[in-house]
DNA sequence: GCCGGTCAAGGTCTT
DNA sequence: AAGACCTTGACCGGC
C-alpha cells in the first residue's frame, strides 16, 4: 500500500501545474512553463521519497494547452529527455503515478466535438506517461460522464468509445465512481461490457452509493484490475464538517481514516488522499498507517 | 505591491 | 433559451 496526494505540495514554493491564460499563449511562454513544471515535479518527487509517499498524481496541465489547437509546438520531442529523466527517477524509487483528466473530458457525451476533444486530452496525458516510460500500472482516471437522463445508454456509449481507443491508452484508462451520477455498481456494469478497471472513490461512494460496506466494494473492484494494471487505486476523502454534501475536508480525520484501514484489512491497494491540505494530511496518514502490514513507503 | 474578477473545456438544474 | 452552480487555484489586469 502506497499513500499519496494529488498534484500540489503546499510546503514547497513551486507548482507542478503552473499554467497561463489562453490569451497570453506563446511558444516561448509554453516552453518556459513546462520547463518550470518539470523542475517542480522533480522537487516534489524528491520530497515524497524523503517522506515515504510513493503515490503521486501529476497535474493535467503539466503541459498547458497540450490538447488545444493553439498549441502546435512539438513539446514531446523538445522535452523528451527531461521526461525520460523524471520517469527514470519515478521507476527507480518505486512510485505509483496517476493523472486525472478533469470534468470537461466526457467520453460518453452525445456531442461529437466534445468526444473529439476528450480523445485529444486522453492521448496527451497518455503521452506524458509514455514519455516517462512508465508501464501500464500508471493510470489515467476518468469519470463515466454525463447521465443525460438515461445512465444505461450513457454506459453503453462510453463502452463504444472506449473500444475505439488506441491499445496503449486502453491499458492506462480506468473509470472512477462519481459523487452525483454513476455509482460503483454502474462502473462495474461498464467493466462487464468492456473490461475497464474500476477505481474506487471511497468518499463518492459514501455520497452516491447504495450504502454497501467498504470491504465489499473493494473486493468487487479488485477483480477488475489484472496483474498488468498493478494494485487497485483508491481515492479517499471525507466530508467537510458543516460543509455542503460532497465537499472535501480541509484536513484528514484520522479516526475515520483508521476505521477505513481497518475495514479494508487484508486488501491490497494504493490510496490517494484527496484532501485540501495535501501533503500535510498525507504525512499524518502515513503515521497512522505505519503499523499496517500493507504499508510501503 | 495588492485585490479580486476571471479563466479552454461540460453537465445539470433552475428560471 | 439562458444563466447559475459545481469546485479550485492562481493568472493577470486594474488600482
Amino acid at each position: 500500500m502506497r499513500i499519496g496526494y494529488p498534484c500540489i505540495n503546499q510546503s514547497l514554493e513551486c507548482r507542478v501545474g503552473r499554467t497561463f491564460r489562453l490569451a497570453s499563449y506563446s511558444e516561448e511562454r509554453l516552453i518556459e512553463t513546462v520547463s518550470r513544471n518539470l523542475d517542480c515535479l522533480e522537487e516534489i518527487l524528491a520530497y515524497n521519497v524523503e517522506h515515504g509517499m510513493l503515490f503521486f498524481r501529476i497535474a493535467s496541465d503539466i503541459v498547458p494547452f497540450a490538447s488545444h489547437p493553439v498549441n502546435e509546438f512539438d513539446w514531446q520531442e523538445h522535452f523528451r529527455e527531461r521526461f525520460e529523466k523524471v520517469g527514470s527517477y519515478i521507476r527507480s524509487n518505486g512510485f505509483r503515478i496517476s493523472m486525472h483528466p478533469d470534468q470537461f473530458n466526457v467520453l460518453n457525451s452525445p456531442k461529437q466535438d466534445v468526444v473529439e476533444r476528450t480523445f485529444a486530452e486522453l492521448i496527451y496525458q497518455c503521452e506524458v506517461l509514455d514519455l516517462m516510460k512508465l508501464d501500464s500500472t500508471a493510470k489515467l482516471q476518468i469519470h463515466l460522464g454525463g447521465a443525460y437522463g438515461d445512465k444505461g445508454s450513457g454506459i453503453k456509449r462510453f463502452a463504444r468509445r472506449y473500444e475505439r481507443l488506441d491499445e496503449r491508452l486502453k491499458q492506462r484508462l480506468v473509470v472512477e465512481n462519481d459523487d452525483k451520477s454513476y455509482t460503483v455498481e454502474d462502473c462495474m456494469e461498464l467493466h462487464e461490457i468492456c473490461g475497464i478497471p474500476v477505481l474506487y472513490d471511497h468518499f463518492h461512494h459514501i455520497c452516491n452509493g447504495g450504502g454497501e460496506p467498504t470491504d465489499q466494494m473493494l473486493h468487487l473492484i479488485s477483480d477488475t484490475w489484472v496483474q498488468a494494471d498493478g494494485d487497485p487505486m483508491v481515492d479517499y476523502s471525507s466530508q467537510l464538517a458543516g460543509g455542503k454534501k460532497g465537499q472535501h475536508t480541509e484536513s484528514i480525520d484520522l479516526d475515520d481514516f483508521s476505521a477505513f484501514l481497518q475495514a479494508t484489512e487484508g486488501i491490497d491497494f494504493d490510496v490517494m488522499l484527496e484532501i485540501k491540505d495535501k501533503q500535510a494530511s498525507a504525512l499524518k496518514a502515513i503515521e497512522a498507517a505505519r503499523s499496517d502490514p500493507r504499508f510501503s513507503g
Side-chain angles (χ1 to χ4, degrees), chain A residues 110-282:
Chain A
K111 299 174 190 163
Q112 198 52 42
D113 56 329
V114 174
V115 177
E116 292 304 327
R117 280 196 291 274
T118 302
F119 281 149
E121 180 70 13
L122 291 175
I123 288 167
Y124 143 60
Q125 298 202 12
C126 186
E127 278 178 327
V128 168
L129 302 174
D130 288 348
L131 283 165
M132 293 178 178
K133 295 191 163 34
L134 304 184
D135 64 19
S136 58
T137 64
K139 297 300 188 189
L140 303 179
Q141 60 186 92
I142 192 172
H143 291 294
L144 221 155
Y148 315 101
D150 177 6
K151 289 202 286 185
S153 301
I155 290 169
K156 290 192 184 73
R157 215 160 40 243
F158 186 109
R160 282 204 303 276
R161 271 113 195 215
Y162 178 79
E163 290 307 334
R164 283 172 46 197
L165 298 175
D166 189 90
E167 193 57 34
R168 237 171 14 138
L169 192 41
K170 277 166 94 172
Q171 285 170 5
R172 293 204 188 279
L173 199 63
V174 302
V175 69
E176 172 190 353
N177 58 306
D178 67 71
D179 62 345
K180 294 260 164 45
S181 320
Y182 292 98
T183 62
V184 175
E185 193 183 0
D186 296 324
C187 293
M188 286 301 296
E189 191 179 325
L190 175 66
H191 166 77
E192 295 304 325
I193 302 172
C194 68
I196 189 170
V198 178
L199 187 153
Y200 173 67
D201 186 308
H202 181 63
F203 186 40
H204 290 166
H205 177 63
I206 303 294
C207 297
N208 177 37
E212 303 91 336
T214 306
D215 61 326
Q216 184 187 322
M217 291 293 94
L218 277 167
H219 282 301
L220 201 59
I221 64 98
S222 286
D223 291 338
T224 68
W225 296 65
V226 300
Q227 187 150 22
D229 297 316
D231 284 345
M233 290 178 172
V234 169
D235 283 353
Y236 170 88
S237 187
S238 61
Q239 177 64 42
L240 171 66
K244 290 191 199 107
K245 186 186 172 194
Q247 264 189 303
H248 289 201
T249 182
E250 294 284 336
S251 180
I252 193 166
D253 176 342
L254 281 180
D255 290 338
D256 186 76
F257 185 65
S258 296
F260 170 77
L261 288 179
Q262 205 157 27
T264 62
E265 197 178 355
I267 309 172
D268 288 321
F269 55 85
D270 291 329
V271 58
M272 178 67 66
L273 304 172
E274 294 189 317
I275 293 173
K276 287 189 82 172
D277 66 1
K278 309 286 179 184
Q279 85 292 336
S281 282

